[in-house]
């Protein structure tokens, strides 16, 4: 296991759809451990494989929601949600961030309920579902695996502000990353 660098917006690997996992072996289990270790070092709620440059369809999550810790992973996830609001997201209640958009937060519309089904590292079926923050995380991570950042979901003034931020940060070229535990934490200073 090792902490891996997290790719930053602008890297084409973040916009490439993930490849289904077909080999369920000890290497996959070790990779999931690496995702957890990297996510923990970054103090993230979740991390998708393509955020560390791996094309496989797998993500981990580890977060507190309503006083309960939710921790797990899904290989080859399939997402199901309640209706996604089309109105302007609430700037206080719908705020979202991303380890691949370090230090930035934008109101993002998400469904209040989500369920992800897939398999574990041995190919056994798994399912996780939730509301609120957990639902937001499940949608966010499965978005990564179809090649979308949460910035792609922004609307109106939030979308315009994000475009300006991308240019201002110079995140228009591939190859940018940050290493949790070594580089300055962009979210917590």
């Amino acid at each position: 296991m090792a902490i891996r660098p997290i790719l930053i917006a602008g890297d084409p690997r973040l916009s490439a759809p993930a490849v289904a996992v077909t080999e369920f072996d000890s290497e996959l289990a070790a990779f999931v451990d690496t995702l957890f270790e990297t996510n923990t070092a970054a103090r993230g709620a979740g991390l998708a494989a393509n955020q560390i440059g791996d094309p496989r369809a797998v993500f981990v999550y580890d977060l507190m929601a309503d006083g309960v810790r939710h921790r797990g992973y899904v290989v080859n996830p399939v997402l199901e949600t309640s209706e996604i609001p089309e109105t302007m997201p609430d700037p206080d209640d719908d705020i979202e961030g991303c380890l691949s958009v370090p230090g930035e937060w934008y109101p993002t519309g998400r469904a209040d309920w989500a369920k992800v089904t897939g398999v574990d590292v041995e190919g056994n079926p798994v399912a996780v579902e939730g509301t609120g923050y957990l639902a937001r995380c499940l949608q966010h991570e499965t978005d990564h695996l179809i090649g979308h950042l949460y910035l792609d979901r922004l609307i109106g003034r939030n979308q315009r502000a994000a475009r300006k931020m991308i240019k201002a940060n110079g995140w228009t070229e591939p190859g940018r990353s940050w290493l949790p535990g070594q580089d300055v934490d962009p979210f917590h200073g």
Side-chain angles (χ1 to χ4, degrees):
M1 291 190 303
I3 296 170
R4 302 262 300 270
I6 297 173
L7 300 177
I8 294 176
D11 193 296
R13 291 172 285 182
L14 293 170
S15 58
V19 176
V21 174
T22 57
E23 293 193 31
F24 299 89
D25 55 18
S26 60
E27 191 280 329
L28 177 61
F31 178 68
V32 168
D33 288 342
T34 295
L35 283 172
F36 273 120
E37 189 173 349
T38 302
N39 185 62
T40 298
R43 296 195 266 180
L47 185 67
N50 61 341
Q51 290 182 271
I52 61 171
D54 190 293
R56 289 178 281 189
V58 59
F59 73 82
V60 300
Y61 60 93
D62 189 354
L63 58 104
M64 291 293 292
D66 301 319
V68 177
R69 184 178 187 196
H70 301 273
R71 185 178 192 275
Y73 69 93
V74 183
V75 178
N76 298 335
V78 176
L79 176 69
E80 178 183 346
T81 69
S82 57
E83 187 175 342
I84 298 172
E86 294 182 19
T87 57
M88 196 65 159
D90 184 288
D92 296 319
D93 294 335
D94 296 326
I95 200 77
E96 195 164 320
C98 177
L99 297 175
S100 289
V101 186
E104 303 292 337
W105 303 88
Y106 292 96
T108 308
R110 295 287 188 182
D112 188 54
W113 173 85
K115 178 179 181 181
V116 172
T117 55
V119 295
D120 66 14
V121 295
E122 296 174 347
N124 300 311
V126 296
V128 59
E129 70 179 287
T131 59
Y133 186 40
L134 177 57
R136 179 175 295 277
C137 179
L138 296 174
Q139 292 166 82
H140 182 108
E141 299 310 326
T142 54
D143 265 0
H144 274 299
L145 298 177
I146 61 171
H148 292 189
L149 291 174
Y150 84 104
L151 301 177
D152 298 326
R153 298 250 181 228
L154 300 181
I155 60 174
R157 66 181 172 271
N158 299 319
Q159 183 182 59
R160 290 187 296 276
R163 285 184 185 144
K164 288 180 184 177
M165 175 275 301
I166 292 284
K167 280 186 178 179
N169 286 332
W171 294 346
T172 55
E173 299 174 10
R176 298 188 190 282
S177 65
W178 68 282
L179 184 60
Q182 183 176 327
D183 295 335
V184 173
D185 184 330
F187 294 98
H188 304 98

